[in-house]
Amino acid sequence: PLLDATPDGRKVYEKIGFRPLFDIQRLIRDPNPVIIDGRKSNGSIRLKQIAKSDFQAIIQFDKIVTGADRSSVLVHLRQRQPGFSILARDEKEKLLGYAFGREGSHAYQIGPVVAVNSEVAISLVEFNLRKIRHPVYIDALASQNALLDWLKKSRFTVQRPFTRMMLGTILELGQAELIFAAAGPELG
């Protein structure tokens, strides 16, 4: 089982066997469409809505990055809000990253976001933000400074920090540095 713990809760959960996976900053943007253009690329990043035919490559890449099979979660997110399921490819069609989003009871949630670098991650998040005129949450990994800086420039504020934790043996994250934002706590 996974959970997201506040700093005080982390101490409690560690005593009963939970171990930290990574630290997260939950950021929120009130309904404010101001977005800083984060793209610095020469057009080599191509964004498009995820099609069913894209899923095999996404699921394989996601297993390498996360060390887990999240295929059912990713399929669910695409079915729930296909317009917020975005992938990035280069000019040779190499997969560079993907982002999902969904409407929640209080705000939209962007995540998970997985990308080969911060430029791709920011492009994916920016693409989805341009469609949203409501409050937005994003659970950005605390280690992803470039994304966090860009989000703050785009009028996001930190709502709270927390730690994603796992009971028992820690999941071996394959390439954790490619995870920029987590799925919301209800999705793990």
PDB file of all heavy atoms in Angstrom, residues 165-178:
ATOM      1  N   MET A 165       4.770   7.399   0.557  1.00  0.00           N
ATOM      2  CA  MET A 165       5.350   6.318   1.345  1.00  0.00           C
ATOM      3  C   MET A 165       4.746   4.978   0.934  1.00  0.00           C
ATOM      4  O   MET A 165       3.619   4.917   0.445  1.00  0.00           O
ATOM      5  CB  MET A 165       5.105   6.565   2.835  1.00  0.00           C
ATOM      6  CG  MET A 165       5.684   7.887   3.327  1.00  0.00           C
ATOM      7  SD  MET A 165       5.491   8.113   5.103  1.00  0.00           S
ATOM      8  CE  MET A 165       6.832   7.060   5.685  1.00  0.00           C
ATOM      9  N   MET A 166       5.519   3.941   1.194  1.00  0.00           N
ATOM     10  CA  MET A 166       5.100   2.582   0.849  1.00  0.00           C
ATOM     11  C   MET A 166       5.311   1.677   2.052  1.00  0.00           C
ATOM     12  O   MET A 166       6.326   1.790   2.739  1.00  0.00           O
ATOM     13  CB  MET A 166       5.919   2.088  -0.348  1.00  0.00           C
ATOM     14  CG  MET A 166       5.518   0.752  -0.852  1.00  0.00           C
ATOM     15  SD  MET A 166       6.393   0.409  -2.388  1.00  0.00           S
ATOM     16  CE  MET A 166       5.572  -1.098  -2.823  1.00  0.00           C
ATOM     17  N   LEU A 167       4.369   0.789   2.276  1.00  0.00           N
ATOM     18  CA  LEU A 167       4.486  -0.142   3.388  1.00  0.00           C
ATOM     19  C   LEU A 167       5.412  -1.291   3.004  1.00  0.00           C
ATOM     20  O   LEU A 167       5.301  -1.867   1.924  1.00  0.00           O
ATOM     21  CB  LEU A 167       3.118  -0.704   3.767  1.00  0.00           C
ATOM     22  CG  LEU A 167       3.077  -1.632   4.980  1.00  0.00           C
ATOM     23  CD1 LEU A 167       3.562  -0.924   6.238  1.00  0.00           C
ATOM     24  CD2 LEU A 167       1.656  -2.156   5.190  1.00  0.00           C
ATOM     25  N   GLY A 168       6.331  -1.599   3.900  1.00  0.00           N
ATOM     26  CA  GLY A 168       7.213  -2.743   3.697  1.00  0.00           C
ATOM     27  C   GLY A 168       8.365  -2.443   2.759  1.00  0.00           C
ATOM     28  O   GLY A 168       8.944  -1.364   2.784  1.00  0.00           O
ATOM     29  N   THR A 169       8.664  -3.401   1.903  1.00  0.00           N
ATOM     30  CA  THR A 169       9.789  -3.291   0.992  1.00  0.00           C
ATOM     31  C   THR A 169       9.557  -2.158   0.004  1.00  0.00           C
ATOM     32  O   THR A 169       8.493  -2.046  -0.588  1.00  0.00           O
ATOM     33  CB  THR A 169       9.983  -4.609   0.214  1.00  0.00           C
ATOM     34  OG1 THR A 169      10.114  -5.670   1.150  1.00  0.00           O
ATOM     35  CG2 THR A 169      11.208  -4.546  -0.670  1.00  0.00           C
ATOM     36  N   ILE A 170      10.571  -1.339  -0.155  1.00  0.00           N
ATOM     37  CA  ILE A 170      10.467  -0.182  -1.037  1.00  0.00           C
ATOM     38  C   ILE A 170      10.488  -0.623  -2.499  1.00  0.00           C
ATOM     39  O   ILE A 170      11.313  -1.430  -2.917  1.00  0.00           O
ATOM     40  CB  ILE A 170      11.635   0.806  -0.777  1.00  0.00           C
ATOM     41  CG1 ILE A 170      11.489   1.423   0.608  1.00  0.00           C
ATOM     42  CG2 ILE A 170      11.712   1.888  -1.832  1.00  0.00           C
ATOM     43  CD1 ILE A 170      10.270   2.279   0.769  1.00  0.00           C
ATOM     44  N   LEU A 171       9.579  -0.059  -3.245  1.00  0.00           N
ATOM     45  CA  LEU A 171       9.535  -0.260  -4.683  1.00  0.00           C
ATOM     46  C   LEU A 171      10.804   0.324  -5.293  1.00  0.00           C
ATOM     47  O   LEU A 171      11.203   1.434  -4.972  1.00  0.00           O
ATOM     48  CB  LEU A 171       8.306   0.480  -5.234  1.00  0.00           C
ATOM     49  CG  LEU A 171       8.068   0.495  -6.719  1.00  0.00           C
ATOM     50  CD1 LEU A 171       7.614  -0.883  -7.178  1.00  0.00           C
ATOM     51  CD2 LEU A 171       6.999   1.525  -7.031  1.00  0.00           C
ATOM     52  N   GLU A 172      11.457  -0.428  -6.126  1.00  0.00           N
ATOM     53  CA  GLU A 172      12.660   0.054  -6.807  1.00  0.00           C
ATOM     54  C   GLU A 172      12.254   0.913  -7.992  1.00  0.00           C
ATOM     55  O   GLU A 172      11.763   0.407  -8.989  1.00  0.00           O
ATOM     56  CB  GLU A 172      13.521  -1.122  -7.269  1.00  0.00           C
ATOM     57  CG  GLU A 172      14.184  -1.864  -6.139  1.00  0.00           C
ATOM     58  CD  GLU A 172      15.209  -1.031  -5.394  1.00  0.00           C
ATOM     59  OE1 GLU A 172      15.911  -0.214  -6.025  1.00  0.00           O
ATOM     60  OE2 GLU A 172      15.293  -1.193  -4.167  1.00  0.00           O
ATOM     61  N   LEU A 173      12.419   2.230  -7.844  1.00  0.00           N
ATOM     62  CA  LEU A 173      12.119   3.128  -8.940  1.00  0.00           C
ATOM     63  C   LEU A 173      13.227   3.004  -9.967  1.00  0.00           C
ATOM     64  O   LEU A 173      14.398   3.165  -9.646  1.00  0.00           O
ATOM     65  CB  LEU A 173      12.007   4.568  -8.447  1.00  0.00           C
ATOM     66  CG  LEU A 173      10.874   4.839  -7.460  1.00  0.00           C
ATOM     67  CD1 LEU A 173      10.965   6.249  -6.919  1.00  0.00           C
ATOM     68  CD2 LEU A 173       9.531   4.609  -8.127  1.00  0.00           C
ATOM     69  N   GLY A 174      12.864   2.721 -11.196  1.00  0.00           N
ATOM     70  CA  GLY A 174      13.855   2.513 -12.231  1.00  0.00           C
ATOM     71  C   GLY A 174      14.633   3.767 -12.569  1.00  0.00           C
ATOM     72  O   GLY A 174      15.855   3.783 -12.521  1.00  0.00           O
ATOM     73  N   GLN A 175      13.936   4.827 -12.912  1.00  0.00           N
ATOM     74  CA  GLN A 175      14.561   6.094 -13.282  1.00  0.00           C
ATOM     75  C   GLN A 175      13.750   7.224 -12.654  1.00  0.00           C
ATOM     76  O   GLN A 175      13.089   7.995 -13.350  1.00  0.00           O
ATOM     77  CB  GLN A 175      14.642   6.232 -14.800  1.00  0.00           C
ATOM     78  CG  GLN A 175      15.538   5.199 -15.438  1.00  0.00           C
ATOM     79  CD  GLN A 175      15.597   5.336 -16.954  1.00  0.00           C
ATOM     80  OE1 GLN A 175      14.747   5.937 -17.588  1.00  0.00           O
ATOM     81  NE2 GLN A 175      16.632   4.773 -17.531  1.00  0.00           N
ATOM     82  N   ALA A 176      13.818   7.333 -11.350  1.00  0.00           N
ATOM     83  CA  ALA A 176      13.009   8.294 -10.606  1.00  0.00           C
ATOM     84  C   ALA A 176      13.240   9.729 -11.058  1.00  0.00           C
ATOM     85  O   ALA A 176      12.338  10.564 -10.942  1.00  0.00           O
ATOM     86  CB  ALA A 176      13.296   8.164  -9.112  1.00  0.00           C
ATOM     87  N   GLU A 177      14.406  10.023 -11.612  1.00  0.00           N
ATOM     88  CA  GLU A 177      14.687  11.391 -12.050  1.00  0.00           C
ATOM     89  C   GLU A 177      13.803  11.809 -13.227  1.00  0.00           C
ATOM     90  O   GLU A 177      13.720  12.999 -13.555  1.00  0.00           O
ATOM     91  CB  GLU A 177      16.160  11.550 -12.413  1.00  0.00           C
ATOM     92  CG  GLU A 177      16.608  10.830 -13.668  1.00  0.00           C
ATOM     93  CD  GLU A 177      16.943   9.344 -13.493  1.00  0.00           C
ATOM     94  OE1 GLU A 177      16.728   8.785 -12.390  1.00  0.00           O
ATOM     95  OE2 GLU A 177      17.434   8.750 -14.465  1.00  0.00           O
ATOM     96  N   LEU A 178      13.101  10.872 -13.841  1.00  0.00           N
ATOM     97  CA  LEU A 178      12.210  11.186 -14.958  1.00  0.00           C
ATOM     98  C   LEU A 178      10.765  11.415 -14.502  1.00  0.00           C
ATOM     99  O   LEU A 178       9.911  11.740 -15.318  1.00  0.00           O
ATOM    100  CB  LEU A 178      12.255  10.077 -16.010  1.00  0.00           C
ATOM    101  CG  LEU A 178      13.634   9.748 -16.605  1.00  0.00           C
ATOM    102  CD1 LEU A 178      13.509   8.705 -17.698  1.00  0.00           C
ATOM    103  CD2 LEU A 178      14.345  10.987 -17.107  1.00  0.00           C
TER     104      LEU A 178
END
